[in-house]
Every structure is written in C-alpha cells, then in structure tokens.
C-alpha cells in the first residue's frame, strides 16, 4: 500500500460521513415539516426516528477524523525515526505527543462508540413507547358512537384527513428516491 493511501481512505470516509450527516439532517427536516403540515403521527414518529441517526453520523465523523490524524502522526513518527537527525531524547518527547491522537482514538472506541450505541438504544425504545401508547389508548376506548372516529383521529392525525394526499405522496416518494440515490 502506498504511504498516503491510508490518509486518502480516511479523507474519503470523512467525506462520506459528512454527506451522510447532511442527508440525514435534510431528510429529518423535510419529514418534520411534512409532519407539522399534515399533523400525521406516523410522519412525526418517522421524524423522531430519523433524528436518532444524527449522533451515529457524528460519532463516525469523529472516529474517521481521529483515524486520519493518527495516520498522519504515525507517518511523521516514522519519518522522525528514519531520519534520526535529532537527539534520542527529543524523539522520545515527540513520540509521547504522537501517541496522544492514538489514545484519543482508543477512547472513542472504548467509551464513545458504546455510549452512543447505548444512548441510541434507549432513545429509540423511548420514542417507540412514547409514540405507541397514545395509539394503544385510543384502540382500547370503549365502543360507542364516534369511538371509531377517535381511533382514526389518534392513529392518522386529526388534520391528516385534511392534507392533500398527493402532496404527501410526492414528498415521501422524493425522500425515498433521495435516500435510495445516496445509498
């Protein structure tokens, strides 16, 4: 492998993580605006689900950035060791500084990634339960005149019936196509 190849790979990974984060933010905003416009609980739930992806892209961006920096510092350390132009004690001080990025990367893998994973699990379970119980309560409403309308209003949203379904279908189709194209 060529000396600069690792660095190029990590730069491409950083670029991909940035694009992923930007697409995630844009799609979350589009679905959120559509959810507010239609007052549709399904779209609100999708918006909250999409919002949960932001920390994943951010931690990936941090990890790839640290990998790139660690690779650069490793190449610098190799150049210093090969040159031996400086005294050995000066190189020892530089070696300690160069291992700082490696320690940061290790901390991200040891603490950052598991913390984000755990928080995402709790977040997604919490949002799922938070969005599930109102629909369950409407489903268990005693059967009486208008009970089916309350269920429909709770599950579909009161204003969702007033929203133009063609607009909603077009926006959701464009979002879906955009996600397919990026993937």
């Amino acid at each position: 492998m060529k000396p600069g190849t690792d660095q190029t790979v990590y730069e491409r990974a950083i670029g991909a993580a940035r694009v992923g984060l930007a697409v995630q933010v844009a799609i979350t905003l589009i679905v959120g605006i559509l959810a507010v416009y239609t007052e549709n609980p399904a779209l609100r739930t999708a918006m909250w689900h999409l919002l949960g992806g932001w920390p994943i892209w951010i931690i990936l961006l941090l990890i790839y950035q640290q990998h790139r920096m660690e690779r650069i510092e490793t190449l610098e350390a190799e150049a210093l060791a090969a040159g031996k132009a400086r005294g050995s004690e000066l190189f020892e001080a530089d070696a300690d500084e160069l291992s700082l990025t490696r320690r940061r990367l290790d901390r991200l893998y040891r603490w950052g990634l598991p913390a984000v994973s755990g928080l995402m699990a709790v977040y997604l379970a919490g949002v799922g339960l938070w969005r599930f119980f109102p629909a369950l309560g409407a489903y268990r409403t005693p059967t009486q005149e208008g009970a089916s309308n309350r269920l429909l209003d709770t599950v579909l949203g009161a204003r969702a019936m007033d929203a133009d379904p063609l607009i909603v279908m077009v926006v959701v189709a464009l979002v879906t196509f955009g996600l397919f194209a990026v993937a």
Side-chain angles (χ1 to χ4, degrees), residues 2-183:
K2 295 179 186 173
T5 306
D6 284 348
Q7 186 178 348
T8 305
V9 167
Y10 291 126
E11 286 174 6
R12 289 179 59 197
I14 290 168
R18 284 182 181 149
V19 167
L21 179 60
V23 168
Q24 185 89 23
V25 168
I27 297 300
T28 303
L29 293 175
I30 291 169
V31 171
I33 290 168
L34 189 62
V36 168
Y37 170 71
T38 63
E39 293 182 8
N40 187 318
L43 288 174
R44 285 187 189 149
T45 303
M47 187 266 313
W48 284 106
H49 179 76
L50 288 167
L51 186 65
W54 293 14
I56 295 169
W57 288 112
I58 291 169
I59 193 73
L60 280 176
L61 190 59
L62 290 172
I63 286 174
Y64 291 143
Q65 182 67 27
Q66 284 299 315
H67 267 293
R68 186 178 72 76
M69 290 173 57
E70 187 265 339
R71 183 62 188 154
I72 290 170
E73 290 182 355
T74 300
L75 291 173
E76 288 175 358
E78 289 172 1
L80 272 174
K84 295 198 180 188
R86 298 181 178 179
S88 63
E89 50 203 46
L90 181 61
F91 178 71
E92 290 298 323
D94 286 344
D96 290 340
E97 287 179 23
L98 294 177
S99 67
L100 178 65
T101 302
R102 183 69 180 146
R103 286 193 305 258
R104 281 188 203 142
L105 183 61
D106 289 341
R107 271 186 260 140
L108 273 174
Y109 275 117
R110 175 176 245 161
W111 301 105
L113 207 53
V116 168
S117 298
L119 287 173
M120 291 313 309
V122 170
Y123 171 80
L124 291 173
V127 166
L129 293 173
W130 171 56
R131 301 301 295 164
F132 173 72
F133 283 118
L136 182 64
Y139 180 73
R140 291 187 176 175
T141 303
T143 306
Q144 57 185 344
E145 189 70 32
S148 62
N149 290 339
R150 279 199 305 267
L151 173 62
L152 205 57
D153 286 347
T154 302
V155 173
L156 295 178
R159 192 165 168 213
M161 301 303 219
D162 298 335
D164 185 8
L166 184 60
I167 293 173
V168 175
M169 285 185 345
V170 167
V171 171
V172 171
L174 289 174
V175 165
T176 304
F177 179 73
L179 290 173
F180 174 75
V182 170

